[in-house]
Structures are given as C-alpha cells and as structure tokens.
C-alpha cells in the first residue's frame, strides 16, 4: 500500500521483518522445506555455552539470551530449532519477493535503491550458544548486506570488501545526491557498488557491552583476519581467527608465535577504536 501511495514522489520505506527473531516461527509450508533428521550440527556444538580449548573464558557469555534460556539443548532439540530458524528465513525470503514483485509491477525498480540487511548475526549451537548478543565471533556479528542501485555496474556481483553498518547512511546520502552532514559518521562505499573489486582498506569494528556503559570486548575485522580483545587492553584475553581457513572459528591463533606481528597490528587498532568511545 505504501508503494502505491508514494510511487509518484521521492520516498523512503523501511520494510521490517521480525523473523527469524526468537521464537523462530513461520507458516507450516516453510517448515515442510526442511527435515530435522538431515540437519548436521556444527562440530563445536555443545548443550550449554562452552568456551573451546585455547579461547579466553571471556569469549563466551555463560548463558543464552534468546533460545534454550536456562537449559541445555539436546541434539534432537537443536535440529528442530535450526529447522525453525531456516523456516523463518524462508518465510522472510518469500515476503521480500512479494515486495520486489510489487516494485517491478509499479515500474519503480529503475529509479529506486533497494537495500537488504539485518541488524546482527546469530549462533545456532556453535560453542553451545543460542543467541545474538554476547558474541564477537563472526557468526554473531556478521550481517547480510545486498544493495541494488539504479545504473550501478556492480549490481548482481559479489563484493568481498569489509564494510560496516555505519557506512550505509553515508552511502545512501551520496547515492541520493543529498548534502553531507558534518556530524555524519561512516564512509560511503559507492565506489564498491561501481566496482566490487575496487581498492578498500577500511576495517570493521564490533563492540560487546554487558551493561551499555563498559566495554566487555572489542573486535576488528579485516579482509584477512578477525581479532578481538576482552577486558581493558586485552586483560581478559584475546582471539585471532582466520575466516578463510577456519570458517567455523575453531582455533584461536592469538598465542601462536608466527602470528604475533598480526596480533600487535590488530591490537593497536582495537585499542585505538575503543579509546574513541570513551
């Protein structure tokens, strides 16, 4: 209805989908797409939040915040919940398709920017964790991001550069030809929409705070590495992960001698960023 109402004037519509927010639900037909018996659990599955060997204790919040709250997860229950999560995502996918179909029907696709993103990642039993918050692992902080901009040469292509959610606003401001505010944060990545392989060396940062005031941990993600420090100046440990060779984040490389130059470089970045937050 909003697309029909505003189609003849400039508009911004935020179309929000609640799922797969807990509890993950969907119409029955989306559940029928998945068989719990065929779900393979992650190799670091655990019934309760569990710190893997070689990782600092502070890397895992000891209790879940969204699913399996105050109780463990059996393997059978885990498979059922993962199917529910997948069904929720499929339901969202179907609804997104409805929006895009209407956009095409109204002839609006060629003069509108379409953005699809989420606000956080999610762990589905990896390391015994069933929640969004309380994580600086890739699975907890990485989000999907897809943009279709009229005339952008990169439309339909994959970009492996690292951007932040904070960069989205300045990107849209530039694409819309709007004036840039002096208080604007983030960096426009319109150059990547034109050329997904364009040079880009800006890392992304994530903060974990338990009380909204103090920093539990700070992470930095480059194209090559994910690094996180916990506690003031890493006093509660650190982790260095290799997303390319260890996508399931099973091995902490932070204490290995050959990686100390990388640790030193990324540690300086996390501390510099944390200092800007006061």
């Amino acid at each position: 209805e909003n697309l029909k109402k505003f189609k003849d004037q400039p508009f911004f519509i935020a179309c929000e989908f609640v799922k797969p927010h807990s509890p993950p639900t969907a119409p029955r037909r989306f559940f029928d797409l998945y068989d719990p018996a065929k779900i393979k659990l992650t190799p670091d599955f655990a019934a309760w939040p569990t710190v893997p060997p070689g990782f600092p204790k502070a890397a895992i919040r000891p209790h879940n915040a969204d699913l399996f709250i105050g109780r463990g997860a059996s393997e059978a229950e885990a498979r059922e919940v993962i199917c529910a999560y997948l069904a929720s995502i499929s339901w969202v996918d179907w609804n997104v398709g409805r929006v895009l179909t209407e956009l095409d029907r109204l002839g609006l696709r060629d003069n509108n920017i379409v953005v699809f993103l989420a606000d956080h990642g999610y762990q589905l039993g990896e390391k015994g964790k069933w929640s969004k918050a309380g994580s600086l692992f890739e699975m907890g902080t990485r989000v999907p991001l897809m943009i279709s901009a009229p005339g952008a040469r990169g439309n339909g292509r994959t970009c492996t550069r690292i951007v932040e959610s904070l960069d989205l606003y300045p990107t849209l401001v530039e694409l819309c030809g709007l004036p840039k505010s002096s208080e604007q944060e983030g960096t426009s990545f319109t150059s990547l929409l034109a050329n997904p392989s364009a040079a880009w060396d800006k890392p992304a940062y994530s903060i974990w705070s338990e009380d909204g005031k103090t920093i539990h941990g700070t992470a930095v993600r480059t194209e090559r590495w994910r690094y996180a420090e916990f506690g003031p100046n890493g006093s509660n440990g650190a982790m260095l992960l290799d997303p390319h060779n260890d996508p399931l984040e099973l091995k902490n490389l932070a204490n290995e001698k050959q990686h100390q130059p990388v640790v030193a470089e990324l540690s300086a970045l996390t501390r510099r960023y944390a200092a800007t937050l006061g």
Side-chain angles (χ1 to χ4, degrees):
E1 291 301 319
N2 280 327
L3 285 174
K4 295 176 185 176
K5 180 178 180 180
F6 298 109
K7 67 183 181 64
D8 296 321
Q9 59 184 290
F11 64 81
F12 172 87
I13 294 178
C15 183
E16 300 179 358
F17 300 97
V18 175
K19 299 305 173 185
H21 191 281
S22 59
T25 57
R28 180 74 255 175
R29 68 182 184 275
F30 295 104
F31 276 82
D32 293 340
L33 297 172
Y34 305 100
D35 181 357
K38 295 181 180 180
I39 296 294
K40 293 184 179 180
L41 298 179
T42 180
D44 55 348
F45 170 80
W48 297 82
T50 303
V51 180
F55 283 81
K57 182 179 179 180
I60 296 287
R61 179 187 276 174
H63 58 274
N64 284 313
D66 297 304
L67 298 168
F68 294 105
I69 301 172
R71 59 186 291 255
S74 70
E75 293 190 3
E77 290 172 322
R79 292 188 176 92
E80 291 282 356
V81 171
I82 292 172
C83 279
Y85 189 87
L86 294 174
S88 294
I89 290 176
S90 296
W91 189 22
V92 170
D93 182 69
W94 179 78
N95 279 293
V96 169
R98 292 174 62 205
V99 175
L100 294 178
T101 296
E102 184 67 8
L103 201 68
D104 287 335
R105 191 186 73 80
L106 295 172
L108 296 173
R109 180 64 74 94
D110 293 335
N111 64 345
N112 277 278
I113 304 161
V114 178
V115 180
F116 178 88
L117 77 159
D119 55 344
H120 54 74
Y122 212 92
Q123 286 177 229
L124 291 167
E126 293 87 3
K127 303 165 183 64
K129 183 170 172 55
W130 294 87
S131 55
K132 55 183 181 181
S135 172
L136 289 176
F137 285 93
E138 184 94 346
M139 292 177 182
T141 58
R142 185 173 181 172
V143 301
L145 174 60
M146 291 180 278
I147 299 181
S148 174
R153 297 193 305 275
N155 284 345
R157 296 167 60 190
T158 299
C159 178
T160 60
R161 300 295 185 247
I162 302 298
V163 298
E164 300 178 288
S165 297
L166 196 65
D167 298 331
L168 189 57
Y169 181 77
T171 300
L172 293 177
V173 166
E174 183 175 350
L175 287 174
C176 294
L178 299 173
K180 180 179 178 180
S181 167
S182 60
E183 298 179 353
Q184 180 175 297
E185 296 184 74
T187 303
S188 171
F189 54 80
T190 54
S191 61
L192 299 178
L193 300 181
N195 176 14
S197 299
W200 184 269
D201 61 359
K202 180 177 177 287
Y205 296 92
S206 301
I207 295 292
W208 169 4
S209 175
E210 287 289 294
D211 58 10
K213 299 177 182 179
T214 58
I215 297 176
H216 179 87
T218 309
V220 60
R221 175 66 155 87
T222 66
E223 281 199 48
R224 182 67 182 84
W225 304 101
R226 167 170 286 277
Y227 176 79
E229 284 190 350
F230 304 95
N233 294 323
S235 56
N236 291 329
M239 63 181 188
L240 175 66
L241 303 170
D242 184 343
H244 301 279
N245 296 308
D246 179 25
L248 296 180
E249 304 177 296
L250 302 176
K251 187 174 183 180
N252 182 13
L253 304 173
N255 296 319
E256 295 193 359
K257 185 176 180 180
Q258 66 267 36
H259 294 303
Q260 292 315 295
V262 173
V263 168
E265 177 186 352
L266 300 181
S267 175
L269 289 179
T270 60
R271 297 182 189 189
R272 189 180 308 146
Y273 181 75
T276 67
L277 304 176

